[in-house]
Amino acid sequence: MNAVLEWPVEPDDALGTALWTAGDIARATGGHVEGGEFAVAGATTDSREVMEGDLFIALKGEGTDGHRFVDGALLRGAAGALVAQPIAAPHVLVSDTTAALDALGRAARARLSDEAQVIGVTGSAGKTGVKEALFAALDRSSRGQAHRSVKSYNNHVGVPLSLARMPARTRFGVFEMGMNHAGELSALTRLVRPHVAVVTTIAPAHIGHFSGEAAIAAAKAEIFEGLEPGGTAIIPADNPHAELLARVAAQYAARVIRFGTAADADVRLIDALPTTTGGTLVTAEFSGAAGMQRKLCYTVSQPGAHWAVNSLAVMAAVAAVGGDLGAAGLALAELPDLAGRGARHRVVAPAGDGSGRALLIDESYNANPASMQATLAQLAATPARRRIAVLGAMKELGAGSDAYHAELAAPIIAADMAHVLLVGAEMAALAVALGKTPPGPLAAAIDFVHVPDAAAAAEILATGDWAPQGGDAILIKGSNSVGLGALVKALTRPEPTAREGRTPTGDV
């Protein structure tokens, strides 16, 4: 009876409950505790994001010095700071806070148990969605013991910060890694040291910094350099650079798994059917190379062929780390929309079909030729009274920028658009292409307008026939620097109530 009543002893019971103590931070970074001991529950480099009990890390950048914001961070509740100059509050003093952040990230990775599994995700498109889906799948099966990088914290600051935020009890860690120059992923993956490395796709994103797509593929393949012994590489079978990725992966990985629709894919898409709720019903086949021989059927909450294919990468990674595929399927079915990356909103819209609502698809955070074409194809498949696209410029495309923008004319025409609003100087090439490209034999000419910036786009969308109407489907997509996120916020802002200034009749 006594044995039944004994509380089970777990290997991590000896671990502290704080994310870091001041002593832990000092040992990891080679710093010194000053102003008294402290413990923290989180970590941030942005004083505006400080929460009660956080560690504020004062980084020195090209434009500003984080030490200027230490007082504000402490006022917001920071329990201590990691600094390179003494302050009148509890802190760990180091000679270089950027190097200290890297060291703290390495220490967080090193303290994980031998059973913990880490996944790294990169790619020219889809990496944030895959990262979020993997986290949802593994967090569900581990009952809250999964960790991931938030937002798009995928660079030389975001990756070590995401590592530093990882609790010692983590069973599954999922980290997004990005790059726009060769050599960047090589450094990041050696910090993360993944057991599984996923490349979602290769496309001409940031191609202005590279000699071509093959060079991008080689730079993305750097993620395999940090694989732990016995690790797994997961690559897109349908991509033209699959063989290049496979050759590099074979140098570092014990197993290379291909996903996609190709006949040689180890995790292969058999069927993808739209569901009545707007998602996709996926049937996938796993070969023995993927560690099993079976077929799976599951639902992905997000629409689009790209999500169906990317879900295969998610399932392959879950299987590779010994996760629960059943829990993964449930998580994919319930995956919420991602702001700026496909989130769907029902916005108030008069006239039209009388429904009073229009569909707004928010893809305002990022854009490259591959993701732009995939999103336009999904818009073409979306039932709507009218389809309207607000397309912002695609940045960092180098000398081929005009050609990449002009190539969007074909998918725009195929989507049978009522209106197309082009935003940014780079969109001039697409405006020329749309003016020269004849529509199909039964289609009207494309009604498009080219404007210089997001503010001008907002004015157009607020007037006449361009304003959202009931039954419309409106896509807003562009590189983040174009600023179309502000347009999304304006269109999704709740209607004011009578107390806020609107009378019961709707008059102001």
Side-chain angles (χ1 to χ4, degrees), residues 261-418:
T261 62
D264 64 344
D266 304 302
V267 182
R268 188 164 64 93
L269 183 67
I270 303 299
D271 202 6
L273 300 172
T275 67
T276 57
T277 56
T280 307
L281 181 64
V282 174
T283 303
E285 182 177 50
F286 285 66
S287 74
M292 64 185 75
Q293 190 81 43
R294 69 171 68 172
K295 286 185 179 179
L296 291 179
C297 188
Y298 54 90
T299 298
V300 180
S301 64
Q302 310 297 320
H306 58 295
W307 260 108
V309 172
N310 283 346
S311 75
L312 306 178
V314 173
M315 287 299 197
V318 169
V321 297
D324 186 328
L325 289 174
L330 292 173
L332 285 170
E334 298 173 1
L335 192 68
D337 289 338
L338 301 177
R341 301 177 183 276
R344 295 187 161 215
H345 306 273
R346 294 287 174 179
V347 299
V348 175
D353 65 1
S355 65
R357 298 283 169 177
L359 171 65
L360 175 64
I361 305 170
D362 175 16
E363 288 271 3
S364 60
Y365 189 83
N366 202 5
N368 59 55
S371 67
M372 196 67 101
Q373 297 213 24
T375 307
L376 287 169
Q378 180 54 39
L379 180 63
T382 301
R385 174 180 168 271
R386 301 188 307 173
R387 297 185 186 91
I388 298 171
V390 182
L391 304 179
M394 301 179 290
K395 301 292 186 177
E396 298 184 16
L397 295 181
S401 179
D402 284 353
Y404 286 121
H405 283 86
E407 286 171 1
L408 298 179
I412 285 173
I413 291 171
D416 189 21
M417 302 283 190

Side-chain angles (χ1 to χ4, degrees), residues 233-257:
I234 298 176
I235 65 173
D238 304 317
N239 195 270
H241 306 286
E243 292 308 318
L244 185 157
L245 293 172
R247 285 196 304 273
V248 178
Q251 299 175 42
Y252 304 97
R255 181 171 55 164
V256 179
I257 296 175

Side-chain angles (χ1 to χ4, degrees), residues 36-447:
E37 286 285 337
F38 60 91
V40 299
T44 184
T45 59
D46 189 336
S47 63
R48 297 165 297 182
E49 295 182 354
V50 168
M51 299 181 67
E52 191 76 27
D54 274 355
L55 171 71
F56 176 63
I57 304 169
L59 298 181
K60 291 184 179 181
E62 293 181 1
T64 189
D65 185 344
H67 292 85
R68 294 172 48 204
F69 307 103
V70 170
D71 289 344
L74 294 169
L75 285 173
R76 289 182 176 87
L82 181 60
V83 292
Q85 58 194 48
I87 60 172
H91 63 278
V92 173
L93 185 64
V94 296
S95 58
D96 182 333
T97 50
T98 298
L101 175 58
D102 281 356
L104 197 59
R106 281 192 293 269
R109 174 64 180 86
R111 70 182 178 177
L112 291 181
S113 72
D114 292 340
E115 289 73 33
Q117 294 286 301
V118 175
I119 302 172
V121 182
T122 193
S124 300
K127 54 184 176 291
T128 299
V130 167
K131 178 257 297 181
E132 289 295 324
L134 276 168
F135 169 75
L138 296 169
D139 198 53
R140 190 181 191 113
S141 63
S142 66
R143 300 184 180 183
Q145 289 185 291
H147 172 81
R148 95 296 204 179
S149 47
V150 299
K151 301 180 183 177
S152 288
Y153 283 16
N154 62 18
N155 64 7
H156 65 285
V157 173
V159 170
L161 178 61
S162 297
L163 283 165
R165 290 172 165 177
M166 181 167 57
R169 288 179 169 83
T170 297
R171 283 184 56 197
F172 298 105
V174 187
F175 297 92
E176 177 181 338
M177 288 176 268
M179 64 90 202
N180 54 24
H181 289 85
E184 292 177 338
L185 272 181
S186 181
L188 295 179
T189 190
R190 285 181 166 87
L191 278 175
V192 174
R193 290 167 41 216
H195 298 91
V196 175
V198 180
V199 177
T200 57
T201 191
I202 302 298
H206 309 298
I207 199 167
H209 302 298
F210 294 91
S211 60
E213 277 193 30
I216 293 176
K220 291 293 186 184
E222 291 173 10
I223 193 174
F224 305 131
E225 296 174 11
L227 274 170
E228 289 287 271
T232 299
I234 298 176
I235 65 173
D238 304 317
N239 195 270
H241 306 286
E243 292 308 318
L244 185 157
L245 293 172
R247 285 196 304 273
V248 178
Q251 299 175 42
Y252 304 97
R255 181 171 55 164
V256 179
I257 296 175
R258 302 177 187 233
F259 69 93
T261 62
D264 64 344
D266 304 302
V267 182
R268 188 164 64 93
L269 183 67
I270 303 299
D271 202 6
L273 300 172
T275 67
T276 57
T277 56
T280 307
L281 181 64
V282 174
T283 303
E285 182 177 50
F286 285 66
S287 74
M292 64 185 75
Q293 190 81 43
R294 69 171 68 172
K295 286 185 179 179
L296 291 179
C297 188
Y298 54 90
T299 298
V300 180
S301 64
Q302 310 297 320
H306 58 295
W307 260 108
V309 172
N310 283 346
S311 75
L312 306 178
V314 173
M315 287 299 197
V318 169
V321 297
D324 186 328
L325 289 174
L330 292 173
L332 285 170
E334 298 173 1
L335 192 68
D337 289 338
L338 301 177
R341 301 177 183 276
R344 295 187 161 215
H345 306 273
R346 294 287 174 179
V347 299
V348 175
D353 65 1
S355 65
R357 298 283 169 177
L359 171 65
L360 175 64
I361 305 170
D362 175 16
E363 288 271 3
S364 60
Y365 189 83
N366 202 5
N368 59 55
S371 67
M372 196 67 101
Q373 297 213 24
T375 307
L376 287 169
Q378 180 54 39
L379 180 63
T382 301
R385 174 180 168 271
R386 301 188 307 173
R387 297 185 186 91
I388 298 171
V390 182
L391 304 179
M394 301 179 290
K395 301 292 186 177
E396 298 184 16
L397 295 181
S401 179
D402 284 353
Y404 286 121
H405 283 86
E407 286 171 1
L408 298 179
I412 285 173
I413 291 171
D416 189 21
M417 302 283 190
H419 300 303
V420 179
L421 184 52
L422 309 177
V423 186
E426 295 89 341
M427 279 291 175
L430 178 55
V432 171
L434 287 174
K436 292 180 176 179
T437 305
L442 300 179
I446 297 289
D447 182 15

Side-chain angles (χ1 to χ4, degrees), residues 16 18-31 33 37-40 92 103-104 107 111:
L19 178 64
W20 297 101
T21 65
D24 293 335
I25 298 167
R27 283 186 290 275
T29 62
V33 179
E37 286 285 337
F38 60 91
V40 299
V92 173
L104 197 59
R111 70 182 178 177

